[in-house]
Amino acid sequence: MSAVPVPVPAGPEGGAVPRHVAIIMDGNGRWAKARRLPRIAGHKQGVEAVRRVATAARELGIEVLTLYAFSSENWRRPEEEVRDLMGLLRFFLKNELKDLIAEGVRLRVIGDYHALSSDLVAMIDDAIARTAGNGGSTLVIALNYGAQAEILAAARRLAAAAKAGEIEPDAIDEAMFDDALTTHGLPPLDLLIRTSGEQRLSNFLLWQAAYAELLFVDTLWPDFDGTALAAAVAQFGQRQRRFGGL
């Protein structure tokens, strides 16, 4: 796969539809706090938002949807909250796998998810294996993911290959580096959305976002839905992407 983005196809109304959309799902805690509910209530509503948005993405013709579910920094949160988040992940995998298979969705996970509990790793591996042959859209979940760690790991793999004489150091280019990342084989990232009004990338897809369009929306993640995603896609379609040219 080339590291250089290519033009995306036109949508049914002439606007460009992003092939690959990533979302930093932010605002679950604030959603719950505004309603004087425990944080876990916000996370539960966040899972419902995942269902809505994943369905809408398929209907809009988005090939790949990447969701930032748990960062490598999220371990710093209270132990109870981390436990609740892992429980919701189990719930999602258990209850959504049949629908993913039925809809032809391929599940992919990026990040060091093998650091999670053994039963959860087994569930993830099973879901990946059972959807591997699906030819429809791809749902990518970022778990225990950090972009800086991903870039370092890719650099170390390429350095080791060069040291072993498998590749020439001067042959390492953007495309080769891109293929060393955990997102290898996916279309280039076209659109990155962050909900809740925060305007930072939080160590998410730093390499992949080099030429992505960035969109920061005030909507808290539990309130984000298909209409909001369609509006984001419409904004994307109105932007001019030059990739450094004129």
Side-chain angles (χ1 to χ4, degrees):
M1 161 182 129
S2 172
V4 179
V6 297
V8 294
E13 297 181 1
V17 175
R19 296 179 64 198
H20 185 175
V21 175
I23 305 179
I24 300 174
M25 305 178 293
D26 196 14
N28 291 347
R30 274 168 283 174
W31 185 93
K33 183 178 180 180
R35 292 160 177 77
R36 298 183 179 180
L37 297 171
R39 287 178 63 86
I40 184 60
H43 293 312
K44 287 180 178 178
Q45 288 300 313
V47 171
E48 295 301 318
V50 168
R51 290 195 183 101
R52 295 194 303 266
V53 171
T55 298
R58 294 195 295 273
E59 293 173 349
L60 288 166
I62 295 168
E63 294 178 30
V64 179
L65 177 66
T66 299
L67 301 177
Y68 203 8
F70 191 85
S71 77
S72 52
E73 288 78 28
N74 285 157
W75 294 109
R76 302 171 186 167
R77 295 188 178 188
E79 183 178 346
E80 181 180 2
E81 182 170 351
V82 171
R83 185 169 59 249
D84 287 340
L85 288 169
M86 295 303 154
L88 287 173
L89 178 57
R90 289 185 181 89
F91 176 83
F92 177 82
L93 290 169
K94 181 179 179 181
N95 289 274
E96 298 301 315
L97 182 56
K98 288 183 179 179
D99 287 341
L100 293 177
I101 294 172
E103 295 291 336
V105 178
R106 179 172 62 119
L107 179 66
R108 184 161 167 178
V109 177
I110 60 174
D112 185 17
Y113 73 89
H114 288 95
L116 307 181
S117 63
S118 58
D119 69 307
L120 193 47
V121 171
M123 291 181 70
I124 294 170
D125 284 339
D126 178 64
I128 292 172
R130 292 175 64 183
T131 62
N134 289 348
S137 61
T138 299
L139 176 63
V140 182
I141 305 294
L143 290 173
N144 196 24
Y145 172 88
Q148 291 178 329
E150 177 190 32
I151 292 169
L152 282 173
R156 287 169 180 151
R157 281 194 292 273
L158 292 173
K163 184 178 181 180
E166 298 170 2
I167 58 175
E168 290 293 330
D170 290 343
I172 299 173
D173 57 11
E174 290 89 344
M176 187 179 293
F177 198 91
D178 198 65
D179 285 339
L181 297 171
T182 58
T183 52
H184 61 87
L186 296 175
L189 181 61
D190 292 312
L191 174 63
L192 192 153
I193 304 167
R194 182 170 187 147
T195 61
S196 87
E198 301 292 345
Q199 297 186 21
R200 55 181 177 272
L201 297 183
S202 295
N203 200 18
F204 184 50
L205 299 180
L206 299 181
W207 173 277
Q208 296 86 344
Y211 279 104
E213 295 296 315
L214 307 182
L215 181 61
F216 302 102
V217 299
D218 292 332
T219 308
L220 300 176
W221 175 247
D223 293 326
F224 201 83
D225 56 16
T227 301
L229 181 62
V233 168
Q235 286 195 47
F236 172 86
Q238 294 172 0
R239 296 187 182 184
Q240 293 185 350
R241 308 182 73 197
R242 298 184 178 89
F243 305 113
L246 296 179

